[in-house]
Amino acid sequence: MKKTLYGIPNCDTVKKARTWLAEHGQDVEFHDFKKQGLSRDTVAGWLEQLDWEVLVNRKGTTWRNLPEERRAQIVDKASALELMLENPSVVKRPVLEGAGPLKVGFSTDEYERSFGDWPA
């Protein structure tokens, strides 16, 4: 399976992940979901692997800027799926697919466990 990093290029956490991947010679395709969007199948697949509360960034600006009544509607996988398709910026970033279990966010330790040992 090909490795894909989903995010937006100006996100600091995405930048850290992309830098780490490049420095460690990892061939990972970047998918800018703000420009390229997200497919229903992609997001549904993520929700089969992780709880919606992991994928929806409720600490971010996008979530905070949603009307209170819209936020209150996000109560399960189905409502989270619709929100993420309507507004991909609400997805916690980055999402790394194809390097073991789906990963959300960036952690050096987690990436090292996923990619194993390599020459510096």
Side-chain angles (χ1 to χ4, degrees):
M1 177 179 204
K2 73 176 181 172
K3 293 175 265 191
T4 305
L5 186 75
Y6 293 85
I8 56 177
N10 62 338
C11 171
D12 288 341
T13 308
V14 171
K15 287 178 188 177
K16 289 176 188 174
R18 291 179 80 183
T19 298
W20 189 97
L21 291 163
E23 287 174 351
H24 293 88
Q26 298 301 315
D27 183 27
V28 177
E29 179 180 314
F30 180 67
H31 180 100
D32 181 346
F33 57 60
K34 203 163 200 176
K35 288 183 181 176
Q36 296 171 274
L38 288 170
S39 74
R40 180 172 295 277
D41 288 345
T42 296
V43 178
W46 294 350
L47 289 166
E48 290 302 315
Q49 298 174 64
L50 294 173
D51 190 77
W52 70 268
E53 294 182 277
V54 173
L55 287 162
V56 174
N57 183 3
R58 293 189 287 179
K59 294 180 182 177
T61 305
T62 303
W63 175 264
R64 289 192 312 264
N65 287 339
L66 290 172
E68 180 59 38
E69 57 274 7
R70 182 64 179 118
R71 285 183 287 186
Q73 294 170 348
I74 311 307
V75 295
D76 59 14
K77 187 188 302 189
S79 57
L81 171 65
E82 295 307 321
L83 177 66
M84 289 186 276
L85 293 174
E86 290 166 20
N87 204 335
S89 295
V90 79
V91 176
K92 186 172 180 181
R93 303 176 294 266
V95 176
L96 179 61
E97 187 175 57
L102 191 69
K103 289 159 198 48
V104 178
F106 172 71
S107 156
T108 300
D109 291 342
E110 184 67 28
Y111 275 44
E112 286 176 358
R113 280 192 294 276
S114 294
F115 291 100
D117 296 323
W118 53 85

